[in-house]
């Protein structure tokens, strides 16, 4: 019966990238999971839904491989073999005088140990990632998907959560997971406080076809208005993330194709040959959001519901994947010990394991934005010197590459490619 009550270990509010990843991770830990999302899943797969792409670190791709997601991506992913970071002053193109004299170069060939032979990361368009996650989730016996539904009300009792959905269905769950993004309704129902601030920047996102092969090289050119990133997609295509002041970004989103093409070529240069923008353009405000707590009684926050960061280092979805990996480890251990998965000690363990990593990322991205998004001469000289020093010291450069790839420190099982 449609309104029959169903029992779950975990109910996840939010069926986006992080919500579906979390569902797969928790199901792999032996838990029964429901995913609740207000949108039809198919609408999130349309090319017009979201033009963004994600850079997936090599450690996080191990997790997606272990969960069966990577094989479903097929040819829709491309490796990041090198990363070139430069500091520019004027929009004259990456190879036409815009970049400063100091470059920071990361190369996959420098990775060592367990990371040797892996790319620095992988690029995938968000719509293809959603498709792969959704296809895998639909094959899992212990994942129930409930699209086009919202939580109408929820009550916590000694037996767990009693949840009524707006389609009339009633379910019970020991634990609720908020994965609905920065405006998480579940978080807003609690006393968890958030701190938000903006950067007076918007990111213009577009996909660009180009004449020459990008060879898996990602470019990040820092301009006074913010980073101008060219990220290698599958085939001879790149994802463009172009940071501008709000008014300029909104104009670039709606301006004529001829104007956009001319401005693009001026900043992009000709190192990849002829450029052809393909598909629509999007523009998003860039902000930071931090929460004071990751948990409340019977509730856990993951992904952007717990932390929202500037995309300058491409770590937003990566941080959400790591949230899911740690939560799966903690809940698997809790269930094996015969405890309720909403056990308060277990939830605090999750919070402690994720707080430092996420706080460090939030602080690092914030500092990078403030240091690089200006044209103050002394700061420009100092950051150029810092980039040159890091690039000249091989062990330091390799450390940063491994850190960005998620290969530093004790890793949860899924980030090692193992199930919880």
């Amino acid at each position: 019966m449609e309104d029959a009550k169903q029992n779950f270990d975990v109910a996840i509010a939010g069926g986006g990238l992080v919500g579906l990843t979390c569902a797969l991770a928790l199901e792999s830990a032996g838990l029964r999971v429901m995913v609740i999302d207000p949108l039809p899943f198919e609408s999130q797969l349309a090319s017009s839904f979201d033009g963004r792409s994600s850079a997936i670190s090599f450690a996080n791709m191990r997790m997606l491989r272990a969960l069966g997601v990577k094989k479903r991506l097929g040819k829709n992913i491309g490796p990041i073999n090198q990363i070139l970071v430069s500091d520019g002053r004027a929009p004259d193109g990456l190879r036409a005088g815009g970049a400063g004299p100091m470059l920071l170069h990361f190369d996959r060939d420098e990775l060592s140990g367990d990371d040797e032979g892996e790319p620095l990361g992988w690029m995938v368009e968000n719509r293809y990632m959603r498709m792969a996650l959704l296809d895998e989730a639909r094959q899992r016996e212990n994942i129930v998907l409930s699209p086009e539904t919202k939580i109408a009300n929820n009550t916590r009792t000694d037996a767990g959560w009693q949840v009524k959905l707006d389609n009339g269905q009633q379910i019970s769950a020991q634990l609720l997971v908020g994965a609905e993004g920065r405006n998480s309704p579940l978080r807003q129902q609690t006393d968890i406080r958030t701190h938000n601030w903006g950067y007076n920047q918007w990111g213009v996102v577009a996909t660009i076809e180009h004449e020459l092969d990008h060879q898996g090289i990602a470019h990040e050119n820092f301009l006074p208005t913010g980073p101008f990133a060219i990220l290698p997609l599958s085939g001879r295509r790149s994802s463009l993330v172009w940071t501008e002041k709000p008014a300029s970004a909104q104009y670039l989103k709606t301006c004529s194709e001829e104007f956009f093409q001319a401005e693009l070529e001026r900043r992009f240069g000709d190192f990849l040959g002829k450029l052809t923008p393909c598909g629509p353009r999007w523009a998003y405000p860039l902000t930071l959001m931090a929460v004071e707590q990751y948990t409340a009684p019977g509730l856990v926050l993951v992904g952007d519901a717990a932390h929202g960061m500037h995309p300058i280092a491409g770590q937003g979805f990566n941080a959400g994947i790591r949230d899911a990996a740690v939560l799966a480890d903690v809940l698997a251990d809790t269930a094996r010990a015969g405890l309720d998965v909403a056990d308060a000690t277990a939830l605090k363990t999750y919070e402690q394991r994720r707080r430092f990593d996420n706080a460090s990322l939030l602080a690092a991205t914030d500092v990078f934005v403030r240091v690089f998004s200006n044209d103050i001469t002394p700061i420009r000289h100092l950051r150029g010197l810092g980039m040159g020093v890091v690039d000249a010291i091989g062990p330091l450069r390799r450390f940063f590459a491994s850190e960005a790839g998620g290969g530093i420190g004790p890793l949860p099982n899924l980030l090692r490619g193992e199930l919880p």
Side-chain angles (χ1 to χ4, degrees):
M1 298 288 293
E2 184 174 301
D3 61 350
K5 193 168 185 177
Q6 293 180 280
N7 301 315
F8 296 91
D9 297 305
V10 181
I12 299 174
L17 296 178
V18 173
L20 290 173
T21 302
C22 192
L24 291 169
L26 297 183
E27 197 271 352
S28 74
L31 303 179
R32 180 166 164 77
V33 182
M34 172 177 264
V35 180
I36 304 160
D37 194 90
L39 296 176
F41 285 120
E42 283 67 24
S43 70
Q44 302 181 50
L45 305 180
S47 59
S48 59
F49 180 77
D50 177 2
R52 288 173 291 190
S53 300
S54 295
I56 310 299
S57 71
F58 58 76
N60 286 353
M61 189 56 78
R62 293 176 198 156
M63 171 172 165
L64 295 176
R65 184 187 301 119
L67 293 175
V69 176
K70 185 185 177 185
K71 69 177 184 292
R72 293 185 180 277
L73 289 168
K75 297 180 179 180
N76 295 316
I77 59 172
I80 301 175
N81 298 320
Q82 300 178 55
I83 301 174
L84 293 178
V85 183
S86 60
D87 187 16
R89 294 190 62 188
D92 297 324
L94 294 182
R95 290 293 182 270
M102 295 296 183
L103 289 173
L104 186 53
H105 178 214
F106 300 104
D107 195 308
R108 65 178 290 175
D109 292 338
E110 292 191 319
L111 294 177
S112 60
D114 293 340
D115 308 328
E116 188 173 4
E118 295 194 71
L120 295 169
W122 300 83
M123 282 300 304
V124 58
E125 290 158 89
N126 285 1
R127 63 190 177 107
Y128 291 127
M129 179 61 75
R130 285 191 188 90
M131 188 181 302
L133 290 165
L134 185 60
D135 286 347
E136 184 63 28
R138 283 172 167 162
Q139 299 303 310
R140 299 295 183 96
E141 183 178 350
N142 287 316
I143 294 179
V144 174
L145 301 174
S146 183
E148 299 182 76
T149 55
K150 297 179 182 179
I151 295 176
N153 59 67
N154 54 79
T155 305
R156 190 161 187 255
T157 69
D158 292 340
W161 290 97
Q162 307 303 313
V163 178
K164 184 175 182 179
L165 305 182
D166 63 357
N167 62 2
Q169 185 179 8
Q170 294 185 6
I171 67 168
S172 67
Q174 295 180 34
L175 177 68
L176 293 182
V177 174
E180 320 104 300
R182 297 193 187 198
N183 297 315
S184 165
L186 281 182
R187 188 193 66 231
Q188 292 172 1
Q189 293 173 18
T190 71
D191 294 327
I192 296 175
R193 293 196 297 176
T194 65
H195 302 277
N196 302 270
W197 57 91
Y199 294 102
N200 195 32
Q201 294 177 336
W202 280 50
V204 179
V205 177
T207 299
I208 309 298
E209 293 179 349
H210 35 76
E211 182 181 10
L212 304 178
D213 190 345
H214 51 53
Q215 299 180 339
I217 302 174
H219 298 264
E220 183 117 29
N221 188 27
F222 290 103
L223 298 173
T225 55
F228 183 90
I230 303 167
L231 307 170
L233 297 175
S234 57
R236 292 187 175 179
R237 301 179 308 135
S238 291
S239 176
L240 174 69
V241 183
W242 180 347
T243 309
E244 286 285 351
K245 297 298 183 184
S248 298
Q250 292 175 62
Y251 180 74
L252 286 169
K253 177 187 174 183
T254 58
C255 68
S256 69
E257 293 182 5
E258 292 77 15
F259 182 87
F260 185 80
Q261 178 88 27
E263 288 299 298
L264 172 66
E265 290 174 350
R266 209 154 62 90
R267 286 162 174 79
F268 205 110
D270 60 359
F271 71 103
L272 288 177
K274 182 181 178 181
L275 306 175
T276 305
C278 54
R281 301 166 226 149
W282 292 263
Y284 304 97
L286 306 181
T287 60
L288 185 148
M289 187 275 291
V291 299
E292 292 188 354
Q293 299 170 236
Y294 284 32
T295 66
L299 172 68
V300 163
L301 302 177
V302 297
D304 281 359
H307 42 75
M309 58 194 71
H310 194 287
I312 191 170
Q315 290 296 316
F317 181 34
N318 283 298
I321 293 175
R322 291 195 290 274
D323 291 346
V326 170
L327 185 61
D329 262 11
V330 170
L331 297 191
D333 289 343
T334 302
R336 281 192 286 265
L339 299 174
D340 189 315
V341 295
D343 177 76
T345 301
L347 301 191
K348 283 300 176 186
T349 299
Y350 161 77
E351 181 174 50
Q352 290 165 3
R353 290 179 61 180
R354 292 304 300 141
R355 180 180 291 280
F356 178 77
D357 180 35
N358 287 326
S360 299
L361 275 173
L362 287 168
T365 55
D366 186 61
V367 168
F368 270 112
V369 173
R370 296 180 189 281
V371 169
F372 281 92
S373 296
N374 66 73
D375 198 29
I376 301 171
T377 300
I379 294 178
R380 190 175 68 246
H381 289 325
L382 284 173
R383 69 195 183 210
L385 178 62
M387 288 169 60
V389 168
V390 172
D391 194 61
I393 302 174
L396 185 58
R397 190 176 62 248
R398 289 188 286 274
F399 170 81
F400 280 119
S402 293
E403 174 69 24
I408 297 295
L411 300 178
N413 286 309
L414 280 167
L415 297 191
R416 296 198 300 267
E418 304 168 4
L419 296 181

